[in-house]
């Protein structure tokens, strides 16, 4: 997904443009048609272009780490960053569940353009899936728990429904330790059973973008329903500055 690109700017001096053309000749000597400096950011709401540590973060081009960033390029990049900051051009994405963000300063030698791009990834809910244990299968599960005394201390609501939720991402996941309806602790045997069913039916539920869902236990009907939804990672970006340095 690509966001609307801003209009071109006009803040570079003739000297700036001349220097950028020199940078392109330097990149061409290394077999490069463009140069990019990528800066990871933790939180766009707190990001400030004036606080970039160029000596540390801008020493080499990100698309070829053996290519050093010329000293004369840094003041141009700082000027562009300051302009963006002072004019509130940089905007925080609308998405709530942001996963990753970065700022790219890109020099496109083929087009003779320099641009600043804000990239981010975020999680969205994917399609849901359900699994049910009912009939004799569900009855056998409840009867085994009852025989083993697993249900002895549970306070079941009048409607017979208890729900336990789970969540996973980034290679770790967990099942809530208590039922939603009454706050009772989930018995170890039931918790272990839930983990096994997640692995059996949705292996990898906790990997990368992860997933979430719930187990709904109906103690009157002796049925269990597992509602599961994977998270989906989406990508987006804004071009927040762009200017030509062609002759």
């Amino acid at each position: 997904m690509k966001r609307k690109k801003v209009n071109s700017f006009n803040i570079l001096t003739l000297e700036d443009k001349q220097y950028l053309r020199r940078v392109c000749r330097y990149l061409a000597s290394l077999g490069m048609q463009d140069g990019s400096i990528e800066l990871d950011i933790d939180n766009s709401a707190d990001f400030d272009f004036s606080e970039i540590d160029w000596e540390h973060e801008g020493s080499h081009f990100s698309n070829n780490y053996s290519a050093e960033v010329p000293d004369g390029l840094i003041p141009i990049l700082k000027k562009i960053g300051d302009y963006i900051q002072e004019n509130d051009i940089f905007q925080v994405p609308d998405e709530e569940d942001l996963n990753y963000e970065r700022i790219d300063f890109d020099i496109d030698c083929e087009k003779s353009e320099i641009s600043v791009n804000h990239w981010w990834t975020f999680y969205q809910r994917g399609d849901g899936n359900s699994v049910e244990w009912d009939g004799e299968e569900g009855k056998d599960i409840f009867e085994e728990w009852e025989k083993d005394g697993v249900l002895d201390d549970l306070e079941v609501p009048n409607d017979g429904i208890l729900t336990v939720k789970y969540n996973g991402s980034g290679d770790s996941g967990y099942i809530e330790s208590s039922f939603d309806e009454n706050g009772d602790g989930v018995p170890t045997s039931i918790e272990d059973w839930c983990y096994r069913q997640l692995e059996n039916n949705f292996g990898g539920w906790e990997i990368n973008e992860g997933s979430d869902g719930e187990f709904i236990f109906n103690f009157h009907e002796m049925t269990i329903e597992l509602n599961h939804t994977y998270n989906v990672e989406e990508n987006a970006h804004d071009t927040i500055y762009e200017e030509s340095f062609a002759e």
Side-chain angles (χ1 to χ4, degrees):
M1 181 175 67
K2 183 176 180 180
R3 296 298 178 93
K4 183 179 179 181
K5 187 171 69 175
V6 300
N7 294 326
S8 296
F9 292 88
N10 187 28
I11 65 173
L12 297 176
T13 65
L14 292 176
E15 290 77 11
D16 293 335
K17 294 180 179 182
Q18 184 180 37
Y19 192 86
L20 287 168
R21 292 194 291 271
R22 286 176 55 192
V23 171
C24 281
R25 289 195 291 271
Y26 162 67
L27 293 174
S29 71
L30 300 175
M32 301 168 61
Q33 294 184 336
D34 60 89
S36 177
I37 301 172
E38 300 176 0
L39 309 174
D40 293 342
I41 59 178
D42 295 327
N43 186 345
S44 54
D46 299 327
F47 181 71
D48 190 324
F49 279 86
S50 66
E51 296 178 357
I52 296 174
D53 181 2
W54 285 107
E55 184 176 347
H56 173 69
E57 299 184 81
S59 59
H60 294 79
F61 286 99
S62 302
N63 57 328
N64 183 352
Y65 201 71
S66 64
E68 296 184 0
V69 174
D71 292 338
L73 179 59
I74 299 301
I76 298 175
L77 301 181
K78 289 179 66 175
K79 179 169 74 170
I80 293 172
D82 290 344
Y83 182 87
I84 293 171
Q85 190 71 38
E86 292 166 3
N87 290 274
D88 293 324
I89 298 168
F90 179 64
Q91 300 295 318
V92 178
D94 294 333
E95 289 78 22
E96 293 182 0
D97 199 3
L98 293 176
N99 178 48
Y100 168 75
E101 294 182 81
R102 77 170 191 265
I103 295 292
D104 291 356
F105 286 79
D106 291 316
I107 300 173
D108 187 328
C109 297
E110 186 174 2
K111 294 182 179 179
S112 295
E113 289 181 348
I114 184 170
S115 63
V116 180
N117 302 281
H118 178 204
W119 294 84
W120 66 94
T121 64
F122 58 97
Y123 291 147
Q124 283 191 329
R125 305 271 290 167
D127 294 332
N129 297 274
S130 294
V131 180
E132 264 193 85
W133 293 265
D134 54 11
E136 288 299 319
E137 184 180 23
K139 183 178 178 182
D140 289 344
I141 294 170
F142 278 91
E143 287 182 347
E144 183 176 349
W145 286 339
E146 188 172 9
K147 181 183 68 174
D148 294 341
V150 175
L151 311 181
D152 289 352
D153 298 326
L154 281 184
E155 183 179 340
V156 179
N158 291 333
D159 63 1
I161 302 296
L162 286 175
T163 304
V164 60
K165 295 182 178 179
Y166 63 88
N167 201 302
S169 64
D171 300 337
S172 66
Y174 63 92
I175 293 174
E176 295 289 351
S177 59
S178 59
F179 291 106
D180 270 12
E181 289 78 4
N182 58 13
D184 280 359
V186 179
T188 301
S189 295
I190 294 181
E191 181 179 315
D192 291 343
W193 183 88
C194 290
Y195 275 116
R196 287 197 301 273
Q197 302 316 313
L198 283 174
E199 289 301 324
N200 291 340
N201 292 280
F202 303 106
W205 62 277
E206 79 285 13
I207 295 175
N208 296 332
E209 295 86 1
S211 59
D212 59 70
E214 60 185 10
F215 287 87
I216 302 174
F217 300 87
N218 188 324
F219 287 81
H220 292 343
E221 301 293 334
M222 291 189 177
T223 62
I224 306 168
E225 182 178 354
L226 165 57
N227 297 316
H228 180 86
T229 304
Y230 279 108
N231 296 320
V232 178
E233 187 177 64
E234 300 285 352
N235 300 280
H237 84 275
D238 275 335
T239 298
I240 52 182
Y241 164 86
E242 185 177 75
E243 186 169 351
S244 171
F245 55 84
E247 292 186 81

